[in-house]
Amino acid sequence: MDQTAPQVPPPASAAECDAALPDILAAPKDGAVIEELCFRPDYGERDFRDELELTVAQGILGERWTEKPWLTLPEGSPDPRIQVSILPKRVMELCWRDRANTPHPGDTMIVDMDLGHENLPVGTRLQAGSAVLEVSDKFNNGCIKWRDRYGQDSLRWINRKENRAHRLRGVLCKIVQDGTVRRGDRLTKL
């Protein structure tokens, strides 16, 4: 009987991240299919759904944003700029290698789309199903969880000065029109 432990893929190296950048930047500019919808009921919890209800007042209905946001306004209420996070599929595929043992990044939507500042300046409105989102000025720089799960090299790469405008860790949005988003809907610029 083979007692060999399963091979765990190593995190993406700095060289692999740099080599992948041209392909990541070549992603479509608009109309990307929303390939995954992730609902986060609590820290570290992931529930993949076929649809989500998005509301201006409560964010994603039932998600932890109203009770346990990682960013709050000065008076303590949840900051609406972080209601929805969208991650480029190509970055996820590069960095999330050990899918059996490492949690999904937890972003609300996964799309194959250029989420960089040039393509989606702050304030850009996006149609997601019947909901409308607005690109936030809050930069998603990843965090210690990203480093621990996907490696220090990819976190440094995301936050490298020359890469910040590409928003490689994805884009954060606030909800500006209530609606339903379904897996398979397209994310389109308005």
Side-chain angles (χ1 to χ4, degrees), residues 42-71:
D42 208 340
Y43 288 111
E45 294 181 11
R46 312 285 190 259
D47 182 13
F48 300 96
R49 301 207 172 163
D50 289 330
E51 70 178 44
L52 296 172
E53 293 297 321
L54 282 57
T55 70
V56 174
Q58 296 178 13
I60 300 165
L61 282 185
E63 232 190 36
R64 67 178 167 86
W65 174 79
T66 56
E67 300 297 322
K68 299 177 183 178
W70 59 266
L71 186 65

Side-chain angles (χ1 to χ4, degrees), residues 2-3 5 28 33-34 44 47 51 71 80 91-92 95 101 112 121 126 128-129 140 147 161 177 180:
D2 185 5
Q3 297 293 328
V33 172
I34 298 169
D47 182 13
E51 70 178 44
L71 186 65
V91 171
M92 183 180 79
C95 298
N101 302 301
D112 187 21
L126 300 167
N140 191 352
R147 182 200 70 199
K161 185 177 180 180
Q177 177 182 301
T180 303

Side-chain angles (χ1 to χ4, degrees), residues 5-9 96-104 148-150:
Q7 292 294 318
V8 176
W96 187 31
R97 295 180 169 192
D98 183 9
R99 296 188 180 206
N101 302 301
T102 307
H104 181 276
D148 292 348
R149 293 171 181 164
Y150 315 115

Side-chain angles (χ1 to χ4, degrees), residues 35-47:
E35 298 188 22
E36 289 183 22
L37 290 174
C38 181
F39 178 81
R40 298 166 298 174
D42 208 340
Y43 288 111
E45 294 181 11
R46 312 285 190 259
D47 182 13

Side-chain angles (χ1 to χ4, degrees), residues 125-153:
R125 298 257 169 130
L126 300 167
Q127 185 85 45
S130 58
V132 177
L133 312 174
E134 184 177 282
V135 174
S136 155
D137 63 342
K138 180 66 180 160
F139 179 71
N140 191 352
N141 62 355
C143 62
I144 194 166
K145 288 186 236 175
W146 183 276
R147 182 200 70 199
D148 292 348
R149 293 171 181 164
Y150 315 115
Q152 181 67 38
D153 283 355

Side-chain angles (χ1 to χ4, degrees), residues 76-131:
S77 66
D79 191 323
R81 297 178 298 167
I82 65 165
Q83 288 174 317
V84 173
S85 60
I86 306 170
L87 180 65
K89 176 183 178 183
R90 295 173 193 210
V91 171
M92 183 180 79
E93 288 177 345
L94 170 68
C95 298
W96 187 31
R97 295 180 169 192
D98 183 9
R99 296 188 180 206
N101 302 301
T102 307
H104 181 276
D107 296 270
T108 312
M109 298 176 198
I110 305 297
V111 297
D112 187 21
M113 187 168 160
D114 174 5
L115 303 178
H117 190 272
E118 188 174 316
N119 188 44
L120 300 177
V122 171
T124 300
R125 298 257 169 130
L126 300 167
Q127 185 85 45
S130 58

